[in-house]
């Protein structure tokens, strides 16, 4: 179609008259505008047409020349300023200059700019076949950038240092996460695109999506294969977003620390044995993990050391320093150091610990046995199947070895004395000092390997399979859509998925690769575990120290470190050692590192489960994948003879009855001296038979004298702590006489004694008062009726009881006493 020149003039006038009503849009320096030329039935870019925008605003008008970007997308540089409206102009294939000339083929109606900085692509402007028939359907757009203009002000560079071995491999481009670990939201930033540059001047699209889709970049991270070398020392990746807050600039350099694991000690664990009973020494056991030995490995502590030649050192390396001196009092802090000879500055590690006490853990138990008797003693938790010994202390204080095995029966003594016995039980030599669980190296070739219940190694993750060679596992994700929360045994992480780093087995051919969480929560799940049912040698011996170790690597590329796995060793559900945080700087080199922990078995166990658990609770899709290899669990206790249990028994031989506690008074009263208030209740006996109802501190026989009789009397008293004490039996005459009348004060603490409390009708009760101060004695019936009131005089008082049988109450009230005595009149 041709456009009449008069229409153009009228259009220009119309433009001027409508400016005041335009929706103004401000454009900054360097900002571009994009136009989709695939419009209506007439493709505006066909026939070699040239496209222009005529724009106007409050400060005038201007022309924007549009050039082909790619396909049907045209692009032009917007002048700085506020612009209200535009017209799309299509000229013939011979015209390259802007302006209202006769070479115009088509043009749109007056179309308004949309005042939204997120919109910079005119997606639909023509829906019909006639002139001035169109719309203004704008769309977001990710531009192709050759030079970042002022409108795309660069954020502070995020520097990521990679190891040289990462060059030539795939790098996952992922914007840095926020401080709260929430993911970068592509939807929230509207349009975006990744670009790469070596000089921050000329930029090239990473994935080619920019400018080709109406809804902008795909909502996902990009992947980029790094060059084999960085000629300028760095490579830059820019994430463009229509929102400035969504833009990122990442600088990659190949100068990360810890890239070379030669000699670097990655793990150093120690454990102490029990103190040796014979010479009060202990052994220091442990394990050192490292990259490559750089000289002899030396471990030194308290002036002693052990050396593993470089030719024999293999990570993880176990060691033991025997015969270190324990302390006998106070406390002492000691440091143990591991280093490679000749390079102590870089290749060293140290641990501090409290030196064990030679007497710590000794249990002292007191036993009593009557003269002429013996007692069987058995130590707490003793296991007589283990080597053990009994000792007795002689008169000079030396321990003498006894030949008794098992329980010990003490020797009967004919006198009151104290004997000291000691039991010592020794640690058994570990029956399997090597690795106690199967297939920690993942080298087993079972066809069914990895499925639950088929082999020694099991997992809470889905098992995808074991790939027999690298070529069989190429891009597993691409051919298994939806794969998540699983693991596979592989030879190469990069072959398994191109976005993973170039990680191969630490030792051998295979290792386990874990997809930690693809949208589903996997925190706390066991990535790997085994138990005694699967690993027959996995049993614990009491008193033995065990070392658990596994090697781990972050298989994600350098852009995905904010959501890394956090691995924890567990035994029977108990956390041991420190978690291994795969987001820490040393894991940015995609190299294997070792995690280790010690475990001291306090009891034998034949049902054991050990596991590696991922503690990461973040549900993000990327960054938390990892790999495991060379998992070990081994006993490392010193083979020397050391004590694991020690108990001392103090055996006191005693007279079975107590003398000097019972006294006689007058001719019919016996009483127990309780002046020190250690007894709570009493029970009297006559000729070995219990006297029912006689449960008071004194025994009164009424009018029948006991003096001169052959009857034997004794008493069993219960102490305040609930234990019983038996007083020796004698005739009345054989008990010592009390200190006349004043001895009665031994009966009670308040200096008042009342006896008897069980009498015949018409008899009287004696009340002895040796304390100072006035005391009133009131005789009452059980219903509270007062029978008599008496002010007690010093020494002996007599209160006549009523003739009627029954229970009566004698209330004693004074400054030092407030109590009531029950009187039974028969």
């Amino acid at each position: 179609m041709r456009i009449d020149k008069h229409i153009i003039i009228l259009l220009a006038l119309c433009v001027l008259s409508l400016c005041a009503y335009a929706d103004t849009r401000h454009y900054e320096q360097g900002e571009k505008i994009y136009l989709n030329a695939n419009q209506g039935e007439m493709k505006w870019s066909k026939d070699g047409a040239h496209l222009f925008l005529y724009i106007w605003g409050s400060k005038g008008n201007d022309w924007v020349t549009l050039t082909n970007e790619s396909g049907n997308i045209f692009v032009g540089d917007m002048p700085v300023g506020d612009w209200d409206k535009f017209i799309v102009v299509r000229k013939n294939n011979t015209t390259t200059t802007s302006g209202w000339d006769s070479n115009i083929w088509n043009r749109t109606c007056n179309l308004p700019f949309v005042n939204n900085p997120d919109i910079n692509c005119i997606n639909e402007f023509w829906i019909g076949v006639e002139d001035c028939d169109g719309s203004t359907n704008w769309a977001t757009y990710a531009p192709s950038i050759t030079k970042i203009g002022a409108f795309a002000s660069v954020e502070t560079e995020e520097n990521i240092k990679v190891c040289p071995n990462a060059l030539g491999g795939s790098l996952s481009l992922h914007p840095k996460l926020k401080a709260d670990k929430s993911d970068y939201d592509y939807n929230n930033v509207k349009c975006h695109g990744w670009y790469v540059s070596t000089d921050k001047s000329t930029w090239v699209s990473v994935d080619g999506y920019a400018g080709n889709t109406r809804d902008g970049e795909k909502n996902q991270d990009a992947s980029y294969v790094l060059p084999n070398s960085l000629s300028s020392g760095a490579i830059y990746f820019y994430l463009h977003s229509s929102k400035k807050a969504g833009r990122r600039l990442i600088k990659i350099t190949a100068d990360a620390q810890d890239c070379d694991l030669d000699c670097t000690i990655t793990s150093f664990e120690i454990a102490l044995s029990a103190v040796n009973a014979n010479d009060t020494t202990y052994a220091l056991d442990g394990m050192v993990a490292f990259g490559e030995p750089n000289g002899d490995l030396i471990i030194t502590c308290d002036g002693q050391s052990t050396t593993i030649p470089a030719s024999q050192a293999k990570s993880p390396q176990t060691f033991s320093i025997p015969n270190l001196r324990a302390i006998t009092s106070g406390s002492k802090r000691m440091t143990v150091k591991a280093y490679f000879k000749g390079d102590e500055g870089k290749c060293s590690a140290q641990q501090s610990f409290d030196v064990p006490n030679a007497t710590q853990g000794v249990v002292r138990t007191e036993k009593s046995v009557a003269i002429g008797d013996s007692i069987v003693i058995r130590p707490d938790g003793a296991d007589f199947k283990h080597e053990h010994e009994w000792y007795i202390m002689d008169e000079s204080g030396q321990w003498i070895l006894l030949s008794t095995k098992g329980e010990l029966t003490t020797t009967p003594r004919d006198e009151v004395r104290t004997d000291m016995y000691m039991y010592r039980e020794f640690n058994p030599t570990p029956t399997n000092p090597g690795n106690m669980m199967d297939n920690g190296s993942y080298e087993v070739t079972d066809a069914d390997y990895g499925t639950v219940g088929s082999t020694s190694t099991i997992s809470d993750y889905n098992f995808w399979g074991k790939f027999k060679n690298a070529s069989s596992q190429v891009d597993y994700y691409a051919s298994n859509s939806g794969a998540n929360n699983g693991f596979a045994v592989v030879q190469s992480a990069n072959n398994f998925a191109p976005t993973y780093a170039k990680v191969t087995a630490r030792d051998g051919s295979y290792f386990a690769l874990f997809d930690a969480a693809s949208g589903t929560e996997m925190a706390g799940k066991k990535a790997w575990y085994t138990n005694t049912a699967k690993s027959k040698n996995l049993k614990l011996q009491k008193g033995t120290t065990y070392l658990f170790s596994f090697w781990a690597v972050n298989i994600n590329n350098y852009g995905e470190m904010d959501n890394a796995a956090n691995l924890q060793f567990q035994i029977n559900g108990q956390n041991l050692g420190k978690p291994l945080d795969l987001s820490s700087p040393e894991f940015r080199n995609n190299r294997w590192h070792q995690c280790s922990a010690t475990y001291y078995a306090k009891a034998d166990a034949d049902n054991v489960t050990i596991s590696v658990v991922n503690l990461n609770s973040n549900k993000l899709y990327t960054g938390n994948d990892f790999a495991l290899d060379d998992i070990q669990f081994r006993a490392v206790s010193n083979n020397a003879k050391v004590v694991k249990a020690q108990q001392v028994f103090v055996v006191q031989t005693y007279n079975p009855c107590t003398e000097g506690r019972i006294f006689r008074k007058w001719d019919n009263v016996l009483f127990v001296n309780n002046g020190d208030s250690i007894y709570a209740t009493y029970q009297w006996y006559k000729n070995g038979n219990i006297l029912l109802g006689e449960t008071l501190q004194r025994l009164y026989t009424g009018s029948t004298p006991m003096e001169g009789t052959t009857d034997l009397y004794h008493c069993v008293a219960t102490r305040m702590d609930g234990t019983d004490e038996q007083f020796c039996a004698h005739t009345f005459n054989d008990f010592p006489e009390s200190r006349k009348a004043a001895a009665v004060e031994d009966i009670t603490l308040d200096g008042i004694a009342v006896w008897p409390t069980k009498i015949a009708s018409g008899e009287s009760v004696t009340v002895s008062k040796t304390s100072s101060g006035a005391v009133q004695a009131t005789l009452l019936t059980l219903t509270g009726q007062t029978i008599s009131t008496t002010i007690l005089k010093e020494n002996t008082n007599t209160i006549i009881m009523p003739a009627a049988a029954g229970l009566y109450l004698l209330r004693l009230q004074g400054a030092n006493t407030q109590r009531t005595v029950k009187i039974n009149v028969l």
Side-chain angles (χ1 to χ4, degrees):
M1 286 180 288
R2 297 288 180 177
I3 298 179
D4 191 278
K5 189 173 183 179
H6 295 89
I7 297 178
I8 297 176
I9 297 175
L10 291 174
L11 177 61
L13 294 175
C14 179
V15 166
L16 295 176
S17 65
L18 293 176
C19 284
Y21 302 98
D23 185 7
T24 302
R25 162 74 186 277
H26 178 76
Y27 284 87
E28 301 180 32
Q29 177 65 43
E31 193 164 359
K32 298 179 181 296
I33 192 166
Y34 297 83
L35 181 139
N36 180 10
N38 186 17
Q39 299 291 311
E41 298 178 6
M42 55 166 299
K43 310 304 182 185
W44 279 58
S45 60
K46 71 178 181 179
D47 300 328
H50 292 264
L51 301 179
F52 302 86
L53 290 184
Y54 177 68
I55 61 176
W56 66 92
S58 59
K59 295 183 179 180
N61 56 79
D62 205 342
W63 285 87
V64 177
T65 300
L66 303 178
T67 58
N68 184 252
E69 168 80 359
S70 61
N72 292 307
I73 301 298
F74 284 70
V75 62
D77 295 319
M78 286 294 295
V80 176
D82 297 326
W83 303 103
D84 298 335
K85 292 189 178 183
F86 66 91
I87 296 174
V88 181
V89 179
R90 180 174 181 261
K91 291 193 175 187
N92 64 31
N93 55 12
T94 61
T95 302
T96 58
T97 58
S98 60
W100 295 107
D101 53 40
S102 60
N103 296 322
I104 294 177
W105 283 349
N106 304 95
R107 56 102 180 128
T108 66
C109 302
N110 301 341
L111 303 177
F113 283 104
V114 177
N115 189 17
N116 187 334
D118 289 341
I119 297 178
N120 62 342
C121 178
I122 307 167
N123 192 63
E124 291 180 3
F125 58 83
W126 188 269
I127 61 175
V129 295
E130 299 296 333
D131 292 341
C132 291
D133 186 6
S135 63
T136 55
N137 188 346
W138 291 70
T140 58
Y141 187 80
S144 174
I145 298 177
T146 57
K147 183 176 182 181
I148 300 177
F151 76 98
S153 57
V154 174
E155 298 287 324
T156 301
E157 291 179 356
E158 177 189 352
N159 293 312
I160 296 179
K161 297 182 178 182
V162 302
C163 291
N165 69 302
L167 298 179
S170 178
L171 177 72
S172 293
L173 296 175
H174 183 74
K176 190 172 183 179
L177 301 178
K178 300 175 184 176
D180 62 358
K181 296 295 184 181
S182 59
D183 201 1
Y184 183 94
D185 190 347
Y186 284 111
N187 288 318
N188 195 37
V189 299
K190 301 299 182 183
C191 56
H192 51 271
W194 281 103
Y195 301 89
V196 61
S197 174
T198 56
D199 57 7
K200 292 193 294 184
S201 176
T202 301
W203 296 88
V204 178
S205 175
V206 167
D207 48 23
Y209 285 124
N212 292 327
T213 57
R214 70 177 282 184
D215 58 350
E217 173 65 270
K218 290 184 178 180
N219 289 327
Q220 62 181 21
D221 303 334
S223 179
Y224 187 84
V225 177
L226 293 172
N228 292 322
S229 63
L230 301 179
S231 58
S232 61
I235 188 170
Y236 301 88
F237 295 94
Y238 177 63
L239 175 63
H240 171 80
S241 167
S242 60
K243 288 189 176 181
K244 293 181 180 179
R247 297 165 187 164
R248 299 289 189 272
L249 179 63
I250 300 175
K251 178 182 180 181
I252 306 293
T253 56
D255 57 353
Q257 296 179 354
D258 198 23
C259 290
D260 185 1
L261 275 181
D262 287 351
C263 163
T264 300
I265 294 178
T266 59
S267 182
F268 184 33
E269 292 287 341
I270 60 173
L272 308 180
S273 71
V275 176
N276 191 306
N278 296 326
D279 55 11
T280 64
T281 62
Y282 67 98
L284 178 71
D285 302 313
M287 179 172 66
V288 185
F290 47 86
E292 298 294 336
N294 186 21
D296 296 343
L297 176 62
I298 301 174
I299 298 95
T300 179
C301 180
D302 198 13
Q304 299 191 51
S305 63
T306 183
T307 300
I308 296 93
S311 59
Q312 301 177 15
K314 182 177 181 180
S315 182
Q317 178 68 54
T318 59
F319 66 87
S320 182
I321 303 178
N323 303 321
L324 294 172
R325 183 63 54 186
I327 58 176
T328 56
S329 63
S331 60
K332 183 178 180 181
R333 191 77 171 162
M334 187 67 66
T335 298
V336 55
K337 183 177 181 180
Y339 62 92
F340 285 96
K341 185 177 181 180
D343 201 355
E344 297 183 30
K346 175 184 177 183
C347 307
S348 65
Q350 64 183 34
Q351 293 273 17
S352 296
F353 62 94
D354 293 319
V355 177
N357 194 299
T359 59
Q360 68 183 6
V362 177
V363 178
R364 180 185 175 97
T365 303
E366 294 187 1
K367 300 285 187 179
S368 298
V369 61
I371 291 175
D373 291 340
S374 62
I375 187 174
V376 176
I377 53 179
R378 181 184 178 92
D380 297 334
D383 190 344
F384 294 134
K385 70 180 181 181
H386 296 156
E387 182 181 358
H388 62 280
E389 296 172 346
W390 283 100
Y391 300 82
I392 187 171
M393 183 177 288
D394 65 11
E395 295 180 355
S396 66
Q398 299 297 314
W399 290 106
I400 306 300
L401 179 65
L402 298 175
S403 59
T404 302
K405 295 297 180 181
E407 296 176 331
L408 173 69
T409 302
T410 63
T411 302
R413 304 299 184 184
D414 59 2
E415 60 180 340
V416 176
R417 62 175 291 169
T418 300
D419 291 311
M420 301 282 286
Y421 298 91
M422 181 168 64
Y423 170 82
R424 285 175 175 167
E425 185 176 326
F426 298 92
N427 276 318
T429 301
T431 57
N432 188 353
N435 192 9
M436 298 171 61
M437 40 80 43
D438 300 331
N439 198 33
S441 63
Y442 293 101
E443 299 297 319
V444 173
T445 58
D446 295 2
D448 294 331
Y449 168 74
T451 55
V452 175
S454 64
T455 64
S456 62
T457 307
I458 43 185
S459 174
D460 287 341
Y461 290 66
N462 301 317
F463 179 61
W464 292 331
K466 181 174 183 177
F467 297 87
K468 302 299 183 181
N469 54 66
S471 61
S472 69
Q473 66 181 48
V474 173
D475 202 354
Y476 178 87
Y477 287 117
S479 57
N480 293 270
S481 59
N484 57 70
N485 300 333
F487 78 103
V489 178
V490 301
Q491 293 184 343
S492 167
N494 186 248
N495 279 4
F496 192 80
T499 57
Y500 287 148
K502 296 185 295 182
V503 173
T504 57
R506 192 198 77 88
D507 190 20
S509 300
Y510 295 97
F511 64 98
L513 177 151
F514 294 84
D515 182 303
S518 292
T520 302
E521 180 64 62
M522 288 297 288
K525 299 295 185 180
K526 294 186 287 291
W528 168 95
Y529 67 100
T530 191
N531 51 38
T532 307
K534 298 297 179 182
S535 298
K536 303 301 182 182
N537 293 326
L538 185 57
K539 299 178 181 180
L540 303 181
Q541 292 181 343
K542 179 180 178 181
T544 303
T545 297
Y546 297 88
L547 280 169
F548 176 89
S549 68
F550 63 86
W551 291 80
V553 61
N554 191 331
I555 60 175
N556 301 288
N557 283 294
Y558 292 85
E560 299 178 349
M561 292 295 176
D562 295 287
N563 186 36
N566 197 12
L567 305 180
Q568 173 72 63
F569 163 54
Q570 292 183 346
I571 182 167
N572 293 340
Q574 173 188 351
N575 288 346
L576 285 183
K578 297 179 180 179
L580 191 67
D581 184 1
L582 270 62
S583 67
S584 54
E586 62 267 25
F587 282 96
R588 288 186 178 272
N589 58 18
N590 293 129
R591 290 288 191 95
W592 291 99
H593 289 258
Q594 188 179 50
C595 177
S596 57
T598 59
Y599 179 73
Y600 179 78
K602 297 181 180 179
D604 292 342
D606 293 332
N607 186 11
V608 183
T609 297
I610 56 177
S611 56
V612 176
V613 177
N614 182 15
L615 301 179
N616 186 353
S617 60
N618 199 309
K619 296 181 181 180
L620 298 183
Y621 287 80
T622 58
N624 47 11
D625 305 320
F626 61 95
L628 298 177
D629 202 1
D630 294 335
I631 306 169
Q632 297 189 27
F633 187 81
R634 62 173 67 187
V636 295
S637 292
N638 186 6
N639 293 334
K641 184 177 180 180
V642 294
V643 172
K644 74 169 183 176
Q646 183 167 284
Q647 191 167 356
V648 174
F649 294 87
V650 181
V651 180
Q652 296 176 324
T653 302
Y654 66 92
N655 194 329
C657 62
T658 301
E659 297 281 10
R661 274 287 185 179
I662 298 181
F663 294 86
R664 58 186 170 84
K665 178 68 176 174
W666 300 291
D667 61 354
N668 56 1
V669 174
L670 296 175
F671 66 91
V672 177
N673 181 1
N674 193 25
D676 48 6
S677 301
I678 64 174
Y679 304 114
T681 62
Y682 310 86
Q683 177 62 61
W684 288 91
Y685 293 80
K686 178 180 179 180
N687 296 325
N689 299 317
I690 190 170
L691 293 175
L692 297 176
E694 297 297 342
T695 58
L696 299 178
Q697 186 181 353
R698 57 97 194 105
L699 174 66
Y700 172 66
T701 60
S703 58
T704 304
M706 291 184 285
E707 188 174 3
T709 67
T710 59
D711 294 324
L712 296 175
Y713 295 90
H714 77 276
C715 181
V716 175
T718 301
R719 300 184 185 92
M720 293 296 183
D721 62 4
T723 59
D724 292 336
E725 182 176 354
Q726 178 176 312
F727 306 120
C728 298
H730 293 285
T731 65
F732 183 84
N733 286 354
D734 290 335
F735 286 116
E737 184 180 6
S738 65
R739 298 186 303 276
K740 299 183 179 181
V744 178
E745 70 184 53
D746 290 335
I747 299 176
T748 61
L749 288 176
D750 58 5
I752 300 175
V754 180
W755 77 90
T757 57
K758 183 187 298 183
I759 62 175
S761 176
E763 292 186 356
S764 61
V765 171
T766 300
V767 181
S768 173
K769 176 180 178 296
T770 59
S771 61
S772 60
V775 176
Q776 177 178 288
T778 304
L779 185 63
L780 306 166
T781 66
L782 287 179
T783 61
Q785 181 181 358
T786 301
I787 298 175
S788 65
T789 299
T790 304
I791 301 299
L792 298 180
K793 61 182 180 179
E794 299 300 322
N795 298 324
T796 303
N797 299 267
T798 300
I799 299 178
I800 300 173
M801 292 292 102
L807 291 176
Y808 296 88
L809 303 177
L810 182 62
R811 180 183 296 163
L812 303 172
Q813 294 176 301
N816 297 318
T817 184
Q818 293 285 334
R819 63 189 178 99
T820 300
V821 179
K822 185 186 298 182
I823 310 296
N824 189 2
V825 178
L826 304 176

